[in-house]
Amino acid sequence: MRILIATTNAGKLREFQQMLGDQFALMDLSAFPQVDEVEETGKTFAENAALKAIGYAKQTSQWTIADDSGLCVDALAGSPGIFSARWAQRHGRDKGDQSNNELLLEQMHNVADEARGAKFVCALALSDPSGKIVLTTDDFVPGRILREPRGKNGFGYDPLFFVPELNRTAAELLPEEKSRVSHRGRALRKMRGLLESL
């Protein structure tokens, strides 16, 4: 089964391939350079995942999985949340992982260690080629925000996100370790089970 993963992020595509396995031929949006970007106007991760799955499925006539995921920090009332990828830009900074991480550290500067709880959340939606949502899943992983980055693996907020059960940051995990515990890995395992039953 051919499935379009609604991303241009190579790291994310690798995670999907590792989790879904070889029975699915995955491609990303780089295979469709003519598509228009789907705006994320939803108020929740689930709404944005569905919007993207529907929008890209209709434009490409492909089965499409879209995810919306992000970091929810307790001390920031759940922010960055759905704005995780654009957090620095929303505050007049440069875009990108480094800017997002620098801003988060600034915002958390005076937050005590015991109040630095956070969770990574992932919502997934599968659309058929006509734009009908067929499957949805979601999951999360709890952790806390460190005061400085650690690790070279992963992307996004991974170097700041400490996973207590493994005593390491998400960026210190090997890809197979991260797939076992990550929010996206957990949601994808659910999705794989549902896909296999389709």
Side-chain angles (χ1 to χ4, degrees):
M1 182 177 183
R2 281 165 55 88
I3 300 177
L4 171 66
I5 306 301
T7 186
T8 54
N9 184 317
K12 193 179 282 189
L13 182 66
R14 273 194 304 276
E15 285 187 11
F16 274 78
Q17 192 69 70
Q18 287 162 355
M19 288 305 305
L20 292 179
D22 294 335
Q23 72 256 49
F24 302 104
L26 304 185
M27 55 194 158
D28 66 12
L29 290 170
S30 64
F32 300 93
Q34 79 285 2
V35 299
D36 294 323
E37 185 175 354
V38 175
E39 239 182 297
E40 298 178 30
T41 56
K43 291 182 169 56
T44 65
F45 293 114
E47 286 177 13
N48 280 334
L51 283 168
K52 289 188 283 186
I54 291 166
Y56 290 118
K58 282 180 162 180
Q59 289 187 73
T60 62
S61 299
Q62 301 289 327
W63 286 87
T64 302
I65 294 177
D67 88 309
D68 197 40
S69 52
L71 179 68
C72 300
V73 179
D74 297 345
L76 300 179
S79 291
I82 60 170
F83 303 112
S84 292
R86 306 178 296 280
W87 191 235
Q89 278 180 285
R90 288 179 64 83
H91 290 81
R93 310 282 188 91
D94 291 336
K95 68 178 183 178
D97 292 348
Q98 184 173 339
S99 295
N100 288 335
N101 283 312
E102 287 171 358
L103 176 59
L104 179 63
L105 286 175
E106 287 174 30
Q107 292 171 322
M108 304 264 310
H109 179 69
N110 292 320
V111 177
D113 289 347
E114 63 272 15
R116 298 174 77 88
K119 64 182 177 180
F120 268 133
V121 177
C122 176
L124 294 169
L126 171 72
S127 174
D128 72 10
S130 75
K132 178 187 173 196
I133 295 295
V134 179
L135 298 173
T136 61
T137 64
D138 61 77
D139 217 319
F140 72 95
V141 60
R144 61 185 175 84
I145 304 302
L146 296 184
R147 295 188 179 276
E148 57 184 34
R150 282 178 21 194
K152 300 290 184 195
N153 300 329
F155 56 92
Y157 298 95
D158 286 354
L160 295 178
F161 188 80
F162 184 78
V163 184
E165 66 181 280
L166 298 176
N167 203 34
R168 283 176 285 168
T169 67
E172 292 175 308
L173 302 177
L174 296 172
E176 55 272 21
E177 292 177 304
K178 186 180 175 188
S179 294
R180 275 200 304 274
V181 301
S182 78
H183 55 308
R184 190 172 295 112
R186 291 175 180 188
L188 274 169
R189 270 191 292 281
K190 291 181 182 176
M191 178 65 79
R192 183 175 63 194
L194 293 170
L195 278 168
E196 287 168 352
S197 68
L198 265 182

